[in-house]
Amino acid sequence: MIQPDKLVYVGVDLHKQHHTAVIIDCWNQKLGEIKFYNKPSAFSQLEKKLKKYMKNGLSVVYGLEDVGGYGRALAVYLNEKGCWVKEVNAKLANARRKSHVTVQKSDSWDAECVAKVLRDELPNLPDAKPVDLYWAISQLVTQRKWQAKNLSGIVKRLHQQLGYHYPSYKKFFSEIDGKTALAFWHKYPSSRHLSGVVTEELAKYLRKLSNNGLSIKKAEQILHLIAEDGDTYRDFQDKRDFLVKRLVRSIRFYKKELTRIEQEIEGVMKELGLQLESMTGIDVVTAAELVAEIGDIHRFSNPDKLARFAGVAPISVGSGDKHRNYKSKQGNRELHDIIKALAIRQIAVTRGKREPRNPYFYFYYEQKMATGKTKQQAIVCIMRKLVNVIYYLMKTKAVYTIPEVPIKQAS
């Protein structure tokens, strides 16, 4: 470790168009400042600015907040140049800014706060080493979330329109956005289009769409429900029909895009060689979400640090002789929610035989409940165990095997 008085600390406030860098010494004295464009061709300006501070044998360490976003290009550039780059948690810089009696807000002051945190917390800060593979996975996962959110919104609007045209539409099909249902809504956007259509004709159409899964019985049910609903025809019905068809086309488009994105995710995940999907409740999308939030597992020296990063580890609060652990509300909340959803899947049972999908975690959950834990507390216990499992699977690239349930627990 280089002695603090042999270092120059550079804090960078990152933005979409411009970055602002502030240079300080080991005594927190501001030495200089520079503003430059957020593009690789302008990054050399920062290096030139720093040359005059390195004449006395000083070394430079850089502190960047948003390494995965606006600061990624700069972090990659500096790493390729062999520079020492640290990732500064935005909360630490924000806390430093608010610690002053007079709170101010400017790019220059934000950059200086980053530099001061860099100086004070240097040994504890992680190295900023963006890896293109993890970044690509993160981008694909983010894009899929946007597409899924858009699709969900369009399906809700289709529900609204169908409620006007077919009051009993929910009884027509198990899923209104299924392949057969979408084709039906597109051909028959309102009940007036079924005028004169007999049971055999509709059954033939449904049979073709559903690969012989639906026929006479479903056709009779639909026509009977329409007759019970009564006439829903209104003025400008053709415009309302157009809206239904447009929504159907949009749903089909977004479903195709989701499929394409998931194929891309599956392809890039193979580059990592992980076996996360071998675990109960993890598909390729969930595995990609975990990787997108965790990144390179080797930046965590043990599962405890990953648990703290995910906000799963409890917070210890004490004063005098009183000590108590509280549920953490810190850490990466996206990762926390993914692990929580995964924990709930571990204690799920099959619909038919009501058998546990993961017997080990199911009985572990029951054991915690028997000791007086609440449901939420028991789930948090499972989450903490899952962190250990995820850490092991990512570090070793091993296949998950459900542990045997002890006989005493099973009985």
Side-chain angles (χ1 to χ4, degrees), residues 278-282 342-363 400 402-403:
S278 62
M279 185 175 187
T280 308
I282 299 183
L342 183 57
I344 294 172
R345 291 174 206 158
Q346 301 308 305
I347 59 176
V349 295
T350 58
R351 290 184 179 180
K353 298 181 179 180
R354 306 293 295 176
E355 295 178 348
R357 296 185 183 276
N358 190 322
Y360 174 79
F361 277 108
Y362 184 83
F363 288 112
Y400 176 74
I402 298 177

Side-chain angles (χ1 to χ4, degrees), residues 53 56 62 92 97 158-159 170 174 182 187 199 247 256 291-292 337 366 370 373 394 399:
Y53 302 109
N56 298 323
Y62 298 85
L92 294 176
R97 184 172 63 248
L158 179 61
H159 272 281
K170 288 186 178 180
S174 58
L182 289 176
K187 185 172 183 178
T199 303
L247 289 170
K256 287 181 180 178
V291 172
D337 292 343
E366 287 192 326
K373 299 281 188 183
M394 291 185 69
V399 175

Side-chain angles (χ1 to χ4, degrees), residues 89 91 307-317 326-337:
N89 191 306
K91 289 186 177 180
R308 286 195 292 272
F309 175 75
V312 176
I315 301 296
S316 180
V317 178
Y326 289 88
K327 181 181 177 181
S328 174
K329 294 183 179 180
Q330 303 171 9
N332 185 317
R333 304 317 293 176
E334 287 285 339
L335 180 57
H336 179 277
D337 292 343

Side-chain angles (χ1 to χ4, degrees), residues 221-238:
Q221 180 191 15
I222 291 174
L223 293 176
H224 176 70
L225 289 170
I226 292 172
E228 282 190 337
D229 289 341
D231 185 18
T232 58
Y233 178 84
R234 295 293 181 271
D235 291 338
F236 303 103
Q237 185 66 48
D238 58 331

Side-chain angles (χ1 to χ4, degrees), residues 150-364:
N150 289 335
L151 175 60
S152 178
I154 295 172
V155 171
K156 286 181 180 179
R157 290 197 286 275
L158 179 61
H159 272 281
Q160 182 184 35
Q161 291 298 321
L162 291 177
Y164 301 144
H165 301 181
Y166 296 104
S168 301
Y169 75 95
K170 288 186 178 180
K171 298 178 182 179
F172 287 15
F173 305 99
S174 58
E175 295 179 351
I176 75 153
D177 59 336
K179 179 182 176 182
T180 302
L182 289 176
F184 179 86
W185 308 130
H186 195 268
K187 185 172 183 178
Y188 306 112
S190 62
S191 58
R192 69 173 183 138
H193 293 275
L194 285 162
S195 178
V197 177
V198 296
T199 303
E200 290 75 14
E201 182 182 350
L202 180 58
K204 182 180 179 181
Y205 178 69
L206 293 174
R207 192 180 300 115
K208 182 179 179 181
L209 288 174
S210 61
N211 296 324
N212 297 321
L214 303 174
S215 58
I216 296 292
K217 187 176 181 181
K218 176 56 67 175
E220 290 176 344
Q221 180 191 15
I222 291 174
L223 293 176
H224 176 70
L225 289 170
I226 292 172
E228 282 190 337
D229 289 341
D231 185 18
T232 58
Y233 178 84
R234 295 293 181 271
D235 291 338
F236 303 103
Q237 185 66 48
D238 58 331
K239 306 303 180 185
R240 296 164 60 209
D241 292 349
F242 166 77
L243 290 176
V244 172
K245 290 184 176 182
R246 179 186 174 279
L247 289 170
V248 169
R249 288 193 296 269
S250 296
I251 290 171
R252 286 171 170 170
F253 169 77
Y254 279 110
K255 285 197 169 190
K256 287 181 180 178
E257 287 300 302
L258 275 175
T259 301
R260 290 173 183 170
I261 292 173
E262 287 170 5
Q263 289 173 348
E264 292 294 328
I265 289 174
E266 186 175 4
V268 75
M269 283 294 289
K270 288 180 179 178
E271 297 288 331
L272 289 173
L274 300 176
Q275 305 290 331
L276 289 170
E277 298 97 305
S278 62
M279 185 175 187
T280 308
I282 299 183
D283 56 14
V284 66
V285 173
T286 305
E289 290 174 344
L290 286 169
V291 172
E293 298 301 331
I294 295 172
D296 185 0
I297 192 64
H298 294 92
R299 66 195 186 105
F300 300 99
S301 58
N302 54 62
D304 293 338
K305 291 188 176 181
L306 178 59
R308 286 195 292 272
F309 175 75
V312 176
I315 301 296
S316 180
V317 178
S319 179
D321 296 331
K322 296 182 179 179
H323 294 274
R324 187 175 177 181
N325 290 332
Y326 289 88
K327 181 181 177 181
S328 174
K329 294 183 179 180
Q330 303 171 9
N332 185 317
R333 304 317 293 176
E334 287 285 339
L335 180 57
H336 179 277
D337 292 343
I338 295 169
I339 296 175
K340 183 177 181 179
L342 183 57
I344 294 172
R345 291 174 206 158
Q346 301 308 305
I347 59 176
V349 295
T350 58
R351 290 184 179 180
K353 298 181 179 180
R354 306 293 295 176
E355 295 178 348
R357 296 185 183 276
N358 190 322
Y360 174 79
F361 277 108
Y362 184 83
F363 288 112
Y364 178 74

Side-chain angles (χ1 to χ4, degrees), residues 30-77:
K30 184 176 179 180
L31 303 177
E33 178 182 332
I34 180 174
K35 186 175 183 179
F36 54 97
Y37 283 101
N38 180 18
K39 55 184 181 180
S41 61
F43 295 160
S44 59
Q45 297 175 20
L46 180 58
E47 289 185 291
K48 292 177 182 178
K49 178 78 173 178
L50 287 166
K51 281 185 178 179
K52 66 178 182 179
Y53 302 109
M54 301 171 64
K55 293 179 180 178
N56 298 323
L58 298 177
S59 299
V60 178
V61 58
Y62 298 85
L64 283 68
E65 285 182 338
D66 193 11
V67 175
Y70 293 146
R72 188 180 186 281
L74 178 59
V76 170
Y77 174 86

Side-chain angles (χ1 to χ4, degrees), residues 358-408:
N358 190 322
Y360 174 79
F361 277 108
Y362 184 83
F363 288 112
Y364 178 74
Y365 172 77
E366 287 192 326
Q367 184 184 42
K368 291 297 178 183
M369 292 291 290
T371 61
K373 299 281 188 183
T374 65
K375 290 183 178 180
Q376 289 301 319
Q377 289 172 337
I379 288 174
V380 171
C381 293
I382 294 176
M383 290 171 66
R384 183 61 188 86
K385 267 190 173 293
L386 279 174
V387 169
N388 292 344
V389 175
I390 292 167
Y391 183 85
Y392 173 78
L393 294 179
M394 291 185 69
K395 196 121 185 196
T396 64
K397 299 184 179 179
V399 175
Y400 176 74
T401 303
I402 298 177
E404 292 185 5
V405 180
I407 297 176
K408 290 183 179 180

